[in-house]
Amino acid sequence: MAVVGKLELLIVSALLLLTACYSNVQRGYKTTLKSVASSEGKPWPIPQLYIPTPTTYTLNSDSFKINPTGKTCDTLVAAMTRYYNVIFYPGRQNDALRFKPISKSKLTVGTELPYLNVNLENDCEIYPSLDMDEWYQLFVKSDGAILTARSIWGALRGLETFSQLVYQTPDGTFTINDTKIEDYPRFSHRGLLIDTSRHFVPKKILLQNLDAMAYNKYNVFHWHIVDDQSFPYQSRHFPELSNLGAYDPHTHVYSQQDVAEIIEYARQRGIRVIPEFDTPGHSESWGPAIPGLLTPCYKSGQPDGSYGPIDPTKNSTYDFLKVIVMEWTKVFPDKYVHLGGDEVSFDCWKSNPAVTQFMQKMGYGTDYSKLEQYYMQNILNIVSSDQDGYVIWQEVVDNGVKVRPDTVVEVWKGGFQAEMSKVTQMGLRTILSSPWYLNYISYGPDWPKYYINDPHNFNGTDAQKKLVIGGEACMWGEYVDGTNLISRLWPRASAVAERLWSPKQYNNTAEAAPRIEEHRCRMLRRGLNAEPANGPGFCKYEMQVN
């Protein structure tokens, strides 16, 4: 009995110990979330140089001013107004949480921050570009805050950072720490791909997502606007493309006015819009409007009623492409267009007797990759004739197509390290998207795996690493539309944003966890239905459904 008693005692003790450990883990986890308060006012993505101090100042919505003290333009004036509202009045659902005035007797002389002066050193550029200057410097001191930027784009990034430095104390007082910041992006191309073909995404949601991109310092909206499933882009020259290729030609299309509004909304936030019109594959929705464009597929020597990729053997194909490519370059002001070139199935081409005859004529034998090269070379030459640049998926160079020296290659397949090394050895600029396909979801926090991936994690020389101009997070649309795009992207895409902006050494997920939690709460406060980042917890400003 004594032995049994000792055994029971040991079991009970072990259970108590396990319970205590579990309780401590739980308390520790909650403490981590509660420690978000200590991260309040810390910006995301983290700046290159960030020196906060414990000294704090208050901001009064009635007296605080944002003033231009250097060059100015409509873009800057609009941004100053926008960020004033972001700081003090971010959304109707938070009306009750607005600034609560505190009596002057509670203010110590010199504790109220009177202004933010924005010193823009150069005239405003009209459109953002790959080579835009996003540097800025920000000082928050007792007599006021000073934001200095060489370009309008740097001023926009600095305004975003300043807005994130401001936080509210429990009594509602807007507060900011004495801070010194000097900042610029690590990579010049920080993109987010949105697929609007597999599911249509309403313009309102795309605009909301552009706000989210600005809050995270993304600067490229990669608009995968059409694909096999639908053609929602309303063409100026070929309106039948959307009339016959969209899910609904009245409700599920982007008119020219819609496109122009999206481009302007993005421009005001320093975001480039790069459209992708993927060919010769991924083009089934083009076929109904342009007879003869797609390749008829054969079975047992007869057409089977299905169609494959664009037919590269016809002169009429390139006549059509010349017109539509010229339209793209007029509608979308960015120098670059994404031409796709991925996942081209050769089965339909192999079955078609006219294509087989063309292959023999060209001396290609049975190597259909040469036929793909022939097509891609022609469309690249068409784009080059308009003096515009282009982005392509990696298959184009993998298949040996001759490309211009200023070509940008997007690496998207697994095992990206070898591909990044190969493409940069060719002297081509490269962007990475392989590890950042955010449409894949799982249970629990997954942002850390996106956070730790780095575009420079491949074997290569310093010269090769310099050819990596950035990366993109991707949201493909098989299971995403306007109902869940924002929540599925954010704050998961925030992890990629910091990787592409901040110094490489900021890769500690434990350090980042409370900051991304705060940033998620910040986005909620601004009206974005960003999903939880780290498990159980809460935000002061919960999402309100009107």
Side-chain angles (χ1 to χ4, degrees), residues 41 70 74 76 99 158 169 219 233 252 370 382 408 416 500 506:
D74 292 345
L76 181 59
F99 180 72
T169 59
N219 67 355
Y233 168 76
H252 287 59
K370 290 183 178 178
I382 290 170
V408 177
F416 68 85
L500 296 175
Y506 278 91

Side-chain angles (χ1 to χ4, degrees), residues 281-357:
H282 293 277
S283 54
E284 185 177 340
S285 64
W286 305 42
I290 312 295
L293 180 66
L294 302 183
T295 305
C297 304
Y298 280 65
K299 186 175 183 179
S300 302
Q302 297 294 324
D304 65 6
S306 65
Y307 293 87
I310 287 177
D311 189 338
T313 69
K314 296 180 177 179
N315 290 333
S316 59
T317 292
Y318 304 106
D319 292 337
F320 161 74
L321 289 173
K322 286 176 183 176
V323 178
I324 194 72
V325 167
M326 182 173 292
E327 175 178 323
W328 301 338
T329 61
K330 302 298 183 186
V331 171
F332 295 90
D334 199 85
K335 177 184 177 182
Y336 286 85
V337 62
H338 202 303
L339 297 175
D342 64 317
E343 298 181 320
V344 181
S345 173
F346 296 155
D347 292 341
C348 187
W349 285 349
K350 290 178 180 179
S351 74
N352 186 290
V355 174
T356 300
Q357 185 178 5

